[in-house]
Amino acid sequence: MMPNDDSWEARLFGTYWYGLELPRHLSHFSPRSLRYLMTEFGFEEMCLTTPHTSYIEHSAGYVCSSLLENLGFVPTSQAKAKPRSFLWKAVRKGLRLVFVAPFALIASSVEAGPCMEAVFRKAPGTVDKKREMPSM
C-alpha cells in the first residue's frame, strides 16, 4: 500500500496531506505514473486499486495544528492527550459515515482515493533491460 499522489485529498490539503508523511514515503506515485514506471521496467499489472479509505481527519489535524501554532498556541502531544468521551466518539463516527464515507467510495471508484494497493509481476517472456538511473 502506498499514497496516491493524484488523490482528491492530496490536491485539497497540499503540503498538509497525510500521505506525504516523511520519511515513511520518499517517492510518490499516481496510478498512471506507477503503471508507466512498472511497464517501462517490464512488469505487467495484476491489480491496482484505491481502497475505500480516507485520511481527511489526519490531514485536517495537521492543518489545525499548524493554525494553532501560528496563533501562538502549543499543541498537546498525543502522549498527554485526554481520552475522548463516548459522545464525542459517537458524533465523530456519525460524521465519518455521513460525510467522509460517500466521498471515499466515489474517490475509490475513479482511482482518486488517498492510497493505492498495487500488484505487478514480471511480464512473461521479457528480457531484463539494464537501465541507468539519471545521476543527480
Side-chain angles (χ1 to χ4, degrees):
M1 188 167 322
M2 66 188 77
N4 177 3
D5 198 35
D6 198 27
S7 70
W8 71 270
E9 289 182 19
R11 293 174 189 211
L12 176 67
F13 288 104
T15 59
Y16 294 103
W17 178 50
Y18 182 73
L20 293 178
E21 191 176 46
L22 292 171
R24 196 169 307 183
H25 303 115
L26 299 177
S27 299
H28 297 89
F29 299 96
S30 67
R32 182 177 177 206
S33 66
L34 185 61
R35 282 184 181 111
Y36 175 79
L37 179 71
M38 297 306 284
T39 302
E40 281 294 303
F41 282 98
F43 288 84
E44 67 180 358
E45 179 181 334
M46 301 300 297
C47 173
L48 196 150
T49 61
T50 57
H52 307 156
T53 189
S54 177
Y55 301 144
I56 196 166
E57 285 184 85
H58 298 291
S59 300
Y62 288 161
V63 171
C64 290
S65 246
S66 180
L67 273 171
L68 289 173
E69 285 178 24
N70 288 339
L71 294 172
F73 294 96
V74 179
T76 306
S77 75
Q78 291 288 28
K80 295 180 182 178
K82 295 178 184 173
R84 303 288 185 194
S85 70
F86 176 77
L87 179 61
W88 171 248
K89 289 178 185 177
V91 167
R92 218 169 117 196
K93 180 74 170 183
L95 290 172
R96 270 191 240 129
L97 289 172
V98 172
F99 295 107
V100 177
F103 283 110
L105 185 62
I106 292 166
S108 172
S109 67
V110 294
E111 292 188 344
C115 63
M116 299 184 288
E117 292 177 345
V119 177
F120 289 86
R121 73 174 182 179
K122 195 68 173 170
T126 57
V127 178
D128 284 340
K129 297 179 194 175
K130 294 281 185 183
R131 295 183 64 99
E132 289 192 29
M133 297 300 285
S135 59
M136 293 187 188

